[in-house]
Structure formats: structure tokens, C-alpha cells
Amino acid sequence: MKKSFVLAVVCGLSFVAWSAECVRVFRPVRLTRGDTNIRHVQDIDEAAWIWMPGHDVWGVEAECNAWNVRFGMKKASDAFFRFRNRFVSDGTPVKFDVSADERFTLYLDGKAVARGPHRGLVEHWYYQSYEIRGLEPGEHLLEAVTWQLGIHAPLAQLSHRGGFILKAEGTYDAKLTTGKGAWEVAPLANTHMTDRGTSGTFGVGSQCEVTGTGFPCEQPAADAWKKATVVRGGVKTNPYGGRTKGWMLFPSGRPDQMYDVKRPGTFKAARAGGGTNDFYAAADAASPFVKQFNAVLAGGTATVPPNTDVRLVWDLDDYYCAYPELAVSGGAGTVVTWGWAESLRNGVHVKKGRNQKGNRDVFDGKNMAQQLCDTFRCDGRADAFFTAPWWRCGRWCELRVKTAGEPLVVKRLSIGESRYPLAVDGSFGCDDPAMPSVAKVSRRAMEMCMHEMLFDCPYYEQQMYPGDTRIQLNVLNALTRDPRMARFAMSVYDYDRRDNGMVGMNFPTRGTQESATYTMCWIMMFRDYLMWHDDAAFLKARMPGVRNALMGLALYENAEGLLENLPGWSFMDWVRGAGAFAGGVAPCGSPGEGVSALNNLQYLLALQSAAAVDAALGEASLAEHWRAKADRLGKALVAGFWDEGRGALADTLKKDRFSEHAQCMAILADILAPAQRTSAFTALAKGEGLSPTSSYFAHYLFETYAKCGRADLIRDRFSYWRNYVAWGARTAFETQDQEARSDCHAWSACPLYFMQTAFAGVTPAAPFFRKVCVAPQPAGLKRIQAKTPHPNGVVETDLRFEGDKVMGSVTLPAGTAGTFVWGGREIPLVSGMNRL
């Protein structure tokens, strides 16, 4: 992977000609900790961790509940440093491993070549490896800008203490390896984080204030440089098994995040500066500043006169997660604020029927009342560059420029889009003209929630929750053959497992949040991975944690074998209105309330998942144990919760509450007799008197529709996604109403999965995707052309439908066999093209 950044240009730095390229190198992945920090297990163990003398900044220790965060730390201030090492190259490639705590950007001769490290936890701290090729012989400068944000960092950013480490190979070892090479360090003083509120966002980190120029370009004074001090030496072999404390380093198997500099969209309006309650009007589009700043986006410049206060609203025309980039000249005393929002709003008084988002394309009559805003203070220098240490996100930006006695020249205005470099192998085409727009908002939501880890949403929490993650990983199964994010997510939950076997409700995070139901969601991921990926070694490494979790859950079984009084927040779904789930918890789902059918149905699905994986791994006795428990639980559920009069499974033993959720999970778990299943599905299809599923649980609803051969109901429910498009959205929302809190939520990307698995009908028919089942459900479509990711390539379907007839072809990857199912017939498929 070649790195390409342009920061040296905008900073006005002057270095030797730079024609080298930096290529990512992937070290062998280690699935268990083994002798990490006990013996040398990798080259980087020889390097020392270094830091700024006298700045003993330690990581955050925090406790967190659902909506409250309490922080305690030894030093809470943020800190930015620049490390440097001048070295002489003989022209050979430079191969090295690198990491830092908390973050780093690495520069070679003024060019940014790497960012990181990829997020993890102290006991699994990640490093990345690179090779710089084509480096000219002679002197070069390697620099690392590092920072610790402390309590100002996003909640998912963990930390041990400030540190930087680099291990170089071969002749560069003595020159560049930390603890051996001549590394110097100096503080950077221009960027600081603020305690200013973040307008309703939670967990995404603080806003920043930058004076003069930003940390990528800030150069310390000559007398500020100090010899870097070692804060932890290399790992020493301990024959008695003692581990070196602190960071336990592992090579990251994830690719680096993309950094794509863009100037998207257009400025829509500008008006004199005022409060956040000052609304934009259609007439503001005629402001001369609109034309000037759009010229900047086209590569020109704009000049803001002295003593001017102007606000401009910028429509990016898509949802972005990106670093702000502002290059200016002059303008001493100017203050520029740059805010981000998912949508403009038409007011701030909810009780008066205002504060609505409405159509996301519209700016007239709206303002930026809710935004995450960074502040840039100009000191008059000829080349200033401003950015933030973490990306911001949204569809709309607002710039407020308030000059003093000098004009400000805006030389460049751009964003550096950052996200996981998703290689998309899957595709879906059909004759429904609305389907591409449904796929587009779903895919963009998935992309915006996929970075070094998965997020529920980028604008608010930026947290990874197992319930969300399971849906996201299935969406990825329909998009890509790349399993690396799945392996990371499933593993990091395992690393967070408690003594009772439960995994955290969200992780990585500085707080602690518990949920038994989300532990079940984590377990359910393993059968998904088993079916879609050919990776037994990974499953073998993680299954001990799954077994521990199931044994922990079993402690809450009552005499009938049903779970009750589960610890933590047993979240099931956001059900509001008629049949609401209080706090997202199913009826009788909290301690002291009794027995919840929904909690137990999810437990049943988790047991079935473990049974399938252990059977595929050759653990027959374990598989039979989980299978027997699942069978007993299924019988207990039907005996206790089936209501013959309603023809449906109840949520409670009193049989006074019913839901779509219960019917879905009962059908998916195959616990109902044929007549009961027919009755339950009829009740589900009608929906009368059932608590409805939300956007989150739509995945399970659609899975049930597909299992029962009713993909037409899935296509009908896609109306909610067609609404998103009609409302001007670029991503799928958290909920199915126009005033959803979050405009970008990856659990709402599930249509992508069902286009492949229901309409095209391509699913794994055996563990490790060794066999393929193609059972299309066109749901009124006349033509389907799809590519579905497979470990050996892609499954291609090109099908035409006329009444009860199907024609076309199915192409399977090499070494893959399968079955085509249509109209009660099963037709064998072989590798290569199969004509129907």
C-alpha cells in the first residue's frame, strides 16, 4: 500500500526532493499472547519506548455507565511532541516497525508516510510495519509527531502512558531503532483540546483550539529539543514466566486507514456572523463570499477583508469522516471556527415544534445549532496550516471567519477523508430503479462506521457494540472477502472478557458497560464467521472464550433451565410507541421482573452457534453439550410461552405481551412444530398486536422473511430506505423516522446483506463456505445480476425470471460446488459457469 500525503506543501516546508514510496508490510498475525513480554517473540521487542523527559503522562483510568462518564487520571492534560532523527541512507530500503501511545504521524523529509497505531488495548497494543523504497543515498530526516489527549480523547482510545517506539532492520537498526538511535524530542505548544461542550455528541472526544499553525507543521525552537528518554527498555527474557508490564505489542493485521484529500460539495450560503440561532435564508446564496469560497474549492484563493465577521455553510454533498485542512496566509488576530453537523436544523425549541432536521438537502430557514466545532487562531504568518488530531464527520460544515485588522487569505480548504479502505467484491443489480439508491445509502453508512474498528455511528458514540457488530459483519460478508475487521472485532471482545465469561457491552472503551444479551450477540458471530470464511485456526483460538461465556450465562439458569435476573443492561431493541420496550429491554428482561422469552431465545441462538462451530472444529462432545442444552431450552420456551389462542409465542410467561422479535427468533431457531411455525409467521406478517422491530432488529426480521420464502416482504420494508433517499439522506439512519437522532448508523446497512442472500439467494451451505446454495427469491424482480464474496473468489448470478421460470447462469469459484434451488427442485452446481 503506497502512502500519499501533501502536508509538506501546505506547511511551506523545504526539504530535499522526495521520490520514495512507503509500502505497508504485514507481519505474521499472532492469535494468542503466548510469550509476549516474557521472551523476544518479534523484532520490535528489542526496541525501547521513549518519551519527552519530564513529561510523565499516563493513560486514562475511567469508569463509564450508559450515559455518564467519570474520569480519573494521574495527569489529564493533553500533550503534543515532535521526535526527530537525522540519519544517512546508503540507498537501500528502510524496513521498520512503529507504534506510539496514543497516536503518531510519521514523516520522512517532511512527507507524511504513516499514521497510527491501530486501536487496541494495552494488553494487545498494535504496531504497523513499513518498507520505504527508492530512498536516495545521503542525509534524511525521520520525524514522528505524537500526542496524548487524555480525557479529551475519544472514549475508544485507550492508553497506558505516553510513548513512542520504532524498530528498524539491518544497517538502519543502530541509526533509527529507539533506544539505540539519536532521537531528539521537543514539545509542540500550538494545539490544545478544550472542555467546551460537544453539542450532544458522546464519546467522540473534545474539540481543539490551534494557534499560529497546526501540529503537522509546527517547528519547535532550536533550544526546545532534548534527548529522548527511555521510559521502558526492550523486552528481557524471563525464564520464570514474568511479563514485562505495560504495552504488549502485536502486529496489526488491519490495513491503514485511507487518507484521501478532497474538496467536495459547494458553499451554499453566507451571512454576517451571529449566534447559532441565526438562520440561513435563500437570499444568503447571493453573498459574494459564496462565490469566493467556492473558488477555493476549485483551487483558487479567497480574501476576507479586515474587521469582517462572516459565516458560511458548506454542503459536502455526501457524508464524510475527515480531518479538516485549512491553509491560510496573514490575517493576524483572525479566528476561524470550523463546525460539523450531520444535518442543519430549523430551530432550537423542541417544545414549539422546531429543531427539526427535515429534508437534509435544504439550508433555507435552518442553522447549525448542533455542531462539533474546532477553533483556529491566526497569528499573521505567511504559511499556516490548521487541522485536528482526530477526524470529524457529517454532511454539513460551517466556517465562521472573524478577522481583526488584517485581511486573511484562504489558500486551501479541503478535507482528508479517513476510513477503512474497503475492497468491495460484492455487487447487486436488478430491474428495480430504486434499488441502487437503497444500496448506496446503506453502503455509505457502512463505510462511515468502519475505521480502525467498527462504530455504531461516527457522529455520536464512536463505540463498537456486539449487537451492532454482528449485523455489520454480515453486511461485510455481502460486500467483501476481506475478513480482517471481523477477526479484530471478534477478538477484541474476547480480550475484554470478564471473570464471569461476559464480554463488555462495548469495547474498546475507557468505561465499563455490561450486557448479557450483547454477549450472546458476540457468540452468534462465530457461526456467521464459520459459514462465510475458511479460517479454522482463528476459530480454534477464540472458541475457549465462547465456551467460557456460555458457562457464565448458564449460572443464571433457573430450575426450568430458563435464564432470569441477567446482570447489566439486557438490551434487546429500541421499541417505542405501542408495545414499547422500556429502556430497550424486553418485557420481564430486567432483574426481578421474571423470565423473558426474548432473552432466552437469544441465548438459544447463541447455544446453536457454539454447537455448529465446535462440530465443524471436530469438538464433537462439546458440540453435543451445546446442542442438548439448546434442545432443552427450546422445549421449555415452547412449553412456557406458546399461546395457542394467539397462535404466537409470547414475550412473558403471563402471555400478556407479544412481539415480532419473539416470532422471528423462534422461527430462526427452529423450535416450533410445523403448524406453530406457520401460525407464528402469519402473526408476524400481519403484525397486529405485536411490538414492532426497529431498524436494529430489522436484520432478524428480514432473515426470518427470507427463511420462510417471503423476500417480497423484505422488498416492501425497503420503503424505509427509499424514504431516506427522499429525505435527502446520504446514509441510512439510526431509526426509520425522518427526525432520527443519528443520520448514519451501520445497523441500518442490512439491505446489502439481503440483496445477496434473499433476492439473489446466495448463502453458504456448509462450514467454511465449502458448498454454496443458490435459492433466489426475486420478489417480483425480472432480472438479478449479483456477485457474492466467497473465500475462493465470487459467486456470480445472472438470472432472468418469467413467472415460475428462471433462466440464466450461476458461476462458482474454482474448487467450489453447490446447489441451485427453484420450484422445489435441486440442481447440482459445479465450479465454473452453470447455465440454467
Side-chain angles (χ1 to χ4, degrees), residues 263 292 294-302 410-413:
R263 300 172 183 173
Q292 291 181 45
N294 279 327
V296 177
L297 297 182
T301 63
V410 179
K411 300 167 67 176
R412 189 165 74 86
L413 191 60

Side-chain angles (χ1 to χ4, degrees), residues 254-266:
R254 288 161 283 168
D256 289 356
Q257 303 304 287
M258 60 180 285
Y259 194 103
D260 191 1
V261 177
K262 295 183 175 181
R263 300 172 183 173
T266 56

